[in-house]
Amino acid sequence: MSEPTGKYSITMPRDIAKAARSRSGPSGLSAYVTAAVARQIERDNLNELIQVAEAEHGPITDDEVQALRDQLRQARQEQAHDAA
């Protein structure tokens, strides 16, 4: 079931609005902006989780980040191979 919606007025630079309209496709500008805001909220939530984790466990090193990226890349490759 879809969440109730509301009508809002926002202000943004014209060039950004023009680019967003040109990329929004058949779903329209509202859906495009909604998806962009949802992604930003996810990023903000993730950053908050990272801050909490780093406060508890210390900052993550570049090597740890790279190792996790490598694990993710490997998992994606295995998933693509299994799907083929």
Side-chain angles (χ1 to χ4, degrees), residues 26-75:
S27 60
L29 183 60
S30 290
Y32 189 84
V33 171
T34 298
V37 171
R39 280 190 306 274
Q40 185 61 48
I41 290 169
E42 289 174 354
R43 288 179 180 150
D44 292 346
N45 289 340
L46 180 58
N47 283 333
E48 289 170 8
L49 287 172
I50 291 168
Q51 289 174 353
V52 168
E54 286 186 338
E56 185 174 334
H57 304 288
I60 190 167
T61 67
D62 290 341
D63 289 341
E64 290 170 319
V65 170
Q66 187 58 50
L68 292 170
R69 285 182 175 150
D70 292 344
Q71 288 177 3
L72 181 58
R73 186 177 307 111
Q74 180 66 31

Side-chain angles (χ1 to χ4, degrees), residues 1-40:
M1 180 177 280
S2 180
E3 289 289 322
T5 61
K7 188 168 184 138
Y8 304 94
S9 175
I10 62 168
T11 303
M12 70 175 75
R14 286 189 176 116
D15 60 334
I16 293 174
K18 183 178 177 182
R21 280 191 189 281
S22 71
R23 294 171 186 263
S24 63
S27 60
L29 183 60
S30 290
Y32 189 84
V33 171
T34 298
V37 171
R39 280 190 306 274
Q40 185 61 48

Side-chain angles (χ1 to χ4, degrees), residues 71-81:
Q71 288 177 3
L72 181 58
R73 186 177 307 111
Q74 180 66 31
R76 286 180 177 159
Q77 288 173 348
E78 289 173 4
Q79 187 178 34
H81 177 68

